[in-house]
Amino acid sequence: MAGAQAPGQPVRPAVAPPADVKPLAPTLKPSRPAGSAQLPNLWDPKRRPEKPTGDLGTIRFLTSGDFPPFNYLDSGGRLTGFNIDLARAICAELTAACTIQMRPFDDLVTAIGERRGDAIVAGLNIGADLRTKLETTDAYLTMPGRFVAPKGTALTTTPEGLELRWISVVSGSAHEAFVLDSFPKSRVVAYPNEAAARDALRDGTVDVHFGDAVGLSFWLLGEASHNCCEFRGAPYLESNYFGDGLRISVTKGNKRLKQAFDYALHRLSEDGTIAELYFRYFPLGYY
């Protein structure tokens, strides 16, 4: 995940696809890939956000253009991505007029604080200091950690199955901390960056790699992996290591807009829209 956060500054995990895997162009009817995992239900079934009443006016979404496949500029210079399509779907569900403005990522919190926008949809991680300025919706996606292992191996990614096995991680990452805490009898090798840690698995230096599932889903499809490997075991969703997931942020105290977004997100989950967007932009499901 992201490194240390400067006071008051937004951060987000770096999960952009490798250069050899291009974000998918939107399709009219995305389909679920054969054999891919289901999108987990992130919603509390006992919690039913109420439908907002009255006119919401024009909702001004703020995002950045440099976080593929969530929000980025396509080859024609058009703003697109999972978050962009999600914002549009929310507006349709709420029958609200909306705009989506692109700004530098580091300017998003300042812009919403100065009322130059109403909501941020950009993969923003909310630290303790930003919680005094912003509040967030329920999570619509999470950023789990996952193991990848060579194809054809019989390894099980449990503490017992990986006892005395070599695991590559990125030094100083949340994934390293999780493995050290949860797999105490494994042999952990920390590399300076994701590329080196993944290459160690591809080249047979280690038995498995543990890292960000989103980025790994693109690596597995890209040329750098040499088609060596596959996800192994279930995703790990522990929020104290891997964050609280992707959420829409609004200014502190804007309960009405937060309620409206939570209602729309729950509806879009129930009718399958979020799952369709997920498999559109993540051809190899990462859960």
Side-chain angles (χ1 to χ4, degrees):
M1 300 294 284
Q5 178 179 352
Q9 292 299 310
V11 294
R12 66 185 177 200
V15 297
D20 57 308
V21 178
K22 302 301 182 184
L24 294 184
T27 57
L28 291 178
K29 293 185 178 179
S31 60
R32 179 175 177 267
S36 59
Q38 290 281 2
L39 187 63
N41 182 13
L42 302 176
W43 318 103
D44 181 354
K46 297 179 181 179
R47 181 172 176 270
R48 307 294 298 181
E50 295 183 5
K51 184 176 182 178
T53 58
D55 184 8
L56 291 169
T58 299
I59 302 172
R60 299 169 298 165
F61 282 98
L62 301 179
T63 192
S64 63
D66 58 354
F67 189 40
F70 293 100
N71 26 274
Y72 64 98
L73 297 176
D74 66 15
S75 58
R78 295 179 295 271
L79 186 62
T80 189
F82 180 98
N83 284 334
I84 308 307
D85 284 353
L86 178 65
R88 291 173 178 146
I90 288 171
C91 295
E93 181 65 40
L94 297 175
T95 60
C98 292
T99 63
I100 304 175
Q101 306 171 30
M102 185 178 71
R103 294 186 177 277
F105 182 76
D106 291 343
D107 184 50
L108 293 174
V109 173
T110 299
I112 200 173
E114 295 176 351
R115 309 295 181 181
R116 289 182 276 144
D118 303 304
I120 298 172
V121 56
L124 182 68
N125 285 341
I126 305 298
D129 52 342
L130 288 183
R131 291 192 187 102
T132 64
K133 303 176 182 178
L134 303 171
E135 52 189 284
T136 62
T137 64
D138 295 337
Y140 54 87
L141 280 181
T142 57
M143 314 290 277
R146 286 202 73 172
F147 282 102
V148 286
K151 292 181 178 180
T153 62
L155 286 175
T156 56
T157 51
T158 62
E160 296 76 21
L162 294 179
E163 184 174 346
L164 300 181
R165 296 287 188 170
W166 293 97
I167 304 173
S168 68
V169 294
V170 175
S171 178
S173 67
H175 306 96
E176 179 189 33
F178 177 80
V179 168
L180 290 173
D181 291 344
S182 305
F183 293 78
K185 295 184 179 180
S186 297
R187 297 167 173 170
V188 181
V189 188
Y191 288 84
N193 54 58
E194 283 284 354
R198 295 168 183 172
D199 288 350
L201 174 64
R202 181 199 64 197
D203 298 339
T205 305
V206 298
D207 296 299
V208 294
H209 168 65
F210 186 74
D212 168 59
V214 183
L216 284 170
S217 73
F218 289 101
W219 179 75
L220 290 172
L221 290 177
E223 295 178 3
S225 71
H226 296 179
N227 197 31
C228 68
C229 306
E230 62 188 1
F231 282 127
R232 186 67 53 84
Y236 291 91
L237 306 175
E238 284 76 358
S239 61
N240 54 322
Y241 290 97
F242 310 123
D244 294 325
L246 299 182
R247 300 164 184 259
I248 299 172
S249 302
V250 299
T251 53
K252 198 71 175 177
N254 195 343
K255 302 292 186 182
R256 185 164 182 258
L257 195 53
K258 169 181 159 47
Q259 175 191 331
F261 288 156
D262 279 335
Y263 168 81
L265 287 170
H266 280 241
R267 289 280 297 165
L268 295 173
S269 175
E270 290 175 340
D271 70 13
T273 298
I274 289 179
E276 287 188 354
L277 292 177
Y278 169 74
F279 287 114
R280 176 187 302 176
Y281 286 100
F282 301 97
L284 177 63
Y286 62 79
Y287 283 105

